Amino acid sequence: MPPMPGVDEKCYDVFNALDQGFCTIRLQFQDDGAAADYQFLQVNDAFEHQTGLRGATGRHMRELAPAHEEHWFRIYGEVARTGHAARFEQEAAALNRWFEVYAFRVGEAHLHHVGVLFRDITERRRADLALRAAREDAELANREKDEFLAMLAHELRNPLAPMLTALQLLRLRG
């Protein structure tokens, strides 16, 4: 990834060495101020592996993934407008992935540039969902076991009651 004009080349060497994805994007806004799209200005070496997007530099997100969800545009647009960084986890269903993201404004506000440092956490999310499903299955099985044991105890008590009464009567006669 060649450095942007005016940016220290050493910084981009660091970003290329990361195992996290990094890109710089330029937001495009509609007349009403809503973020419409963004263009990839630069991506690091891990970007392609983390996103599955190939040849992204210079291209627009809506071109690469037309079904990309609106919340991505909204979040990045807010970062570009306000300068307030955002840290979040979000699904990119159009890419079939989950990401942990840190987005921050790069340069002056009028440029609408945002830096995005991210990590694909899809496997972790899938493992969390599998663990949650297994826990729910175990809790259901435990409730069913408790209900069965309660029913069994009730059913065993009913036939034993007359026998206990008969034994007490025999003891009284004895």
Side-chain angles (χ1 to χ4, degrees):
M1 160 173 88
M4 290 173 57
V7 177
D8 185 353
E9 190 171 330
K10 290 178 186 176
C11 291
Y12 284 97
D13 290 342
V14 170
F15 286 122
N16 269 328
L18 293 174
D19 64 350
Q20 293 184 352
F22 176 76
C23 62
T24 306
I25 59 177
R26 179 187 306 122
L27 271 291
Q28 297 173 338
F29 294 94
Q30 298 172 359
D31 291 338
D32 64 0
D37 200 355
Y38 52 86
Q39 180 184 25
F40 292 98
L41 301 176
Q42 296 185 309
V43 300
N44 74 346
D45 294 342
F47 175 91
E48 199 172 284
H49 174 72
Q50 296 280 329
T51 65
L53 297 174
R54 310 242 184 283
T57 303
R59 296 173 68 193
H60 291 85
M61 188 61 186
R62 293 207 187 271
E63 173 191 354
L64 295 167
H68 199 51
E69 300 85 356
E70 289 301 316
H71 56 259
W72 294 99
F73 302 100
R74 190 172 50 255
I75 293 168
Y76 295 152
E78 189 69 16
V79 171
R81 271 194 303 276
T82 66
H84 297 295
R87 187 179 301 274
F88 57 95
E89 287 184 7
Q90 189 69 52
E91 181 181 21
L95 302 178
N96 196 27
R97 296 169 194 254
W98 275 86
F99 294 102
E100 178 182 75
V101 179
Y102 178 62
F104 52 94
R105 183 192 287 163
V106 176
E108 297 178 29
H110 72 277
L111 297 175
H112 304 296
H113 291 183
V114 174
V116 183
L117 182 65
F118 61 94
R119 176 187 341 219
D120 181 351
I121 58 168
T122 306
E123 291 307 314
R124 183 182 84 194
R125 291 293 293 203
R126 287 180 182 153
D128 287 347
L129 291 173
L131 181 61
R132 188 174 302 133
R135 186 178 302 127
E136 289 172 1
D137 289 347
E139 289 171 358
L140 176 63
N142 193 39
R143 279 193 305 274
E144 290 174 346
K145 173 200 61 140
D146 289 346
E147 290 171 10
F148 173 76
L149 290 175
M151 182 185 67
L152 183 63
H154 175 74
E155 294 300 324
L156 288 175
R157 253 183 272 139
N158 285 344
L160 292 178
M163 289 184 213
L164 287 174
T165 303
L167 286 172
Q168 287 173 347
L169 288 175
L170 287 173
R171 202 174 344 154
L172 288 176
R173 284 181 70 200

